[in-house]
Amino acid sequence: MDDSSTTRAAKSPLAAGDRPTLKTIAYMTGLGITTVSRALKDAPDIGTETKERVRLVANQLGYQPNRAGVRLRTGKTNVIALVLSIEEELMGFTSQMVFGISEVLAGTQYHLVLTPHSHQKDPMVPVRYILDTASADGVIISRIAPDDPRVRLMTERNMPFATHGRTDMGIVHPFHDFDNEAFVYEAVAKLASKGRRRIAFLPPPATLSFYLHSRTGFERGLADFGLTEVSMGRISTETPLGDIRAYAETLMRSVNAPDGIISISGSSTIALVAGIEAAGKQLGKDADLVSKQSAEFLNWIRPEIYTVNEDVRQSGRELAKAVIARIDGVAPELLQSISKPTWSTVGPQD
């Protein structure tokens, strides 16, 4: 800053603990409030030297636009709301999703607000709150059902949104999804190539869309490779881990024990491994296990597990780009993507 700006800084009306405003920056730079505002917005009619001067002072003061003021002036909140279940995948899902979204938002005016909820409660509650309070410009949701009332409500209320998963309800909307049908089919093929004949599948809850996708891949694989299913009963990835472990131990001690197992959740796989080994069985010998994971960790625990990676961080990036594009008016059918399974290079390679 020049000497005049330094003198103004010494006389600044900003008291300790006060939030710097456009008026504060205007006072310290000797510019008008309108000029400061336009400089921060990179207006073409403001000179480069003036913009740099304003930004320097703003950075030194720690200036952040007042969201309430922005909302009053523009009707926007500059907020993207991420609605996530507090029971989401334990092994890296939530953090990787947030990292991915944040990487995209870092280059924009948008801020991420995480809205947690329990899947055991009404999933409409957080979405209704966001809509009724107009507390976000866009919404990202997960745990998608084939006929998802949240999708219908946000469509009716013209709220831009993107879903981590697909619906089957005749509404075209932005989404990013993992190809769970391809993953489970490839997992069956892997087990068949290892000579396994009796296959058990630990699925997601039957209420979610990717249950249908994964079951389709599983049943198609069984038919194509002439394999037999060993039922997991009512066990799913949302069953408490202790119960999954106990069920796996009982199943592996039975006369109809599977020799191949597929899991669609990394944390559930740990419980499966504990149950298999509690039954005195050995991975890679008595049974092979294929699992999806959202972070590379399973092979640190058991190198014998065949693993497929779902890049949740990339999912976050795609969802953030989709919801921002939808806010900007891009057609929803242009904002749909599906990522393919990637086999880990860490586990067994045969």
Side-chain angles (χ1 to χ4, degrees):
M1 292 185 293
D2 59 21
D3 291 341
S4 60
S5 294
T6 304
T7 302
R8 289 188 184 93
K11 299 178 180 179
S12 172
L14 186 66
D18 283 357
R19 180 189 180 116
T21 64
L22 292 176
K23 184 176 181 181
T24 312
I25 300 172
Y27 179 87
M28 296 186 69
T29 57
L31 300 169
I33 293 177
T34 300
T35 301
V36 168
S37 176
R38 293 183 61 73
L40 290 172
K41 294 176 181 176
D42 200 27
D45 59 326
I46 304 297
T48 301
E49 184 178 341
T50 299
K51 291 177 183 177
E52 291 177 352
R53 181 181 175 192
V54 169
R55 288 168 184 159
L56 175 62
V57 173
N59 289 337
Q60 290 178 335
L61 291 173
Y63 169 77
Q64 292 290 335
N66 184 290
R67 288 189 193 174
V70 171
R71 184 172 176 177
L72 284 173
R73 291 193 304 274
T74 68
K76 296 187 66 175
T77 64
N78 288 344
V79 167
I80 302 297
L82 171 62
V83 182
L84 273 183
S85 167
I86 58 177
E87 296 90 355
E88 289 282 11
E89 164 76 57
L90 298 176
M91 302 299 178
F93 183 97
T94 299
S95 60
Q96 291 302 312
M97 176 70 73
V98 170
F99 286 153
I101 295 171
S102 299
E103 285 173 355
V104 172
L105 298 191
T108 74
Q109 74 269 34
Y110 293 104
H111 303 269
L112 178 65
V113 173
L114 181 60
T115 305
H117 77 99
S118 172
H119 73 261
Q120 296 174 345
K121 299 181 180 179
D122 184 0
M124 294 292 286
V125 170
V127 172
R128 284 199 193 99
Y129 175 83
I130 293 167
L131 291 169
D132 293 344
T133 60
S135 53
D137 296 329
V139 180
I140 297 171
I141 59 174
S142 61
R143 294 182 59 80
I144 306 304
D147 188 355
D148 201 305
R150 299 171 298 173
V151 167
R152 181 171 289 103
L153 179 62
M154 287 190 287
T155 301
E156 292 172 350
R157 298 279 288 272
N158 295 314
M159 168 62 78
F161 68 94
T163 63
H164 187 217
R166 288 164 279 171
T167 59
D168 184 18
M169 54 195 298
I171 294 177
V172 179
H173 62 84
F175 67 77
H176 179 77
D177 201 3
F178 178 79
D179 195 339
N180 287 286
E181 179 178 348
F183 157 63
V184 178
Y185 183 86
E186 291 178 20
V188 173
K190 171 66 73 175
L191 294 172
S193 73
K194 299 295 293 177
R196 304 306 185 181
R197 309 299 300 171
R198 302 183 308 281
I199 314 300
F201 173 44
L202 180 61
T207 55
L208 302 182
S209 293
F210 77 115
Y211 171 84
L212 299 175
H213 303 151
S214 58
R215 280 297 308 184
T216 298
F218 184 60
E219 292 170 7
R220 186 161 58 88
L222 294 181
D224 285 355
F225 298 102
L227 308 181
T228 302
E229 177 178 5
V230 177
S231 174
M232 290 290 291
R234 296 184 179 181
I235 300 294
S236 79
T237 55
E238 281 187 359
T239 301
L241 296 181
D243 293 344
I244 293 176
R245 179 195 179 282
Y247 189 93
E249 179 179 355
T250 300
L251 184 63
M252 295 306 294
R253 290 183 184 277
S254 71
V255 295
N256 192 37
D259 57 10
I261 304 173
I262 300 169
S263 172
I264 209 158
S265 159
S267 55
S268 298
T269 296
I270 294 176
L272 285 173
V273 170
I276 292 168
E277 295 180 350
K281 301 299 176 68
Q282 182 180 342
L283 281 177
K285 179 183 177 183
D286 300 301
D288 281 308
L289 175 59
V290 181
S291 178
K292 186 174 74 170
Q293 60 182 358
S294 55
E296 296 237 14
F297 67 92
L298 287 174
N299 293 120
W300 299 349
I301 302 169
R302 292 294 182 274
E304 302 85 1
I305 303 173
Y306 294 93
T307 52
V308 167
N309 298 319
E310 177 180 3
D311 191 341
V312 177
R313 193 164 187 159
Q314 180 61 25
S315 297
R317 296 188 196 104
E318 294 299 326
L319 290 166
K321 289 187 288 187
V323 76
I324 291 173
R326 189 68 188 118
I327 291 171
D328 292 339
V330 177
E333 59 268 22
L334 301 178
L335 304 173
Q336 301 173 337
S337 56
I338 301 173
S339 62
K340 296 297 182 180
T342 302
W343 286 86
S344 174
T345 58
V346 179
Q349 300 304 302
D350 54 341

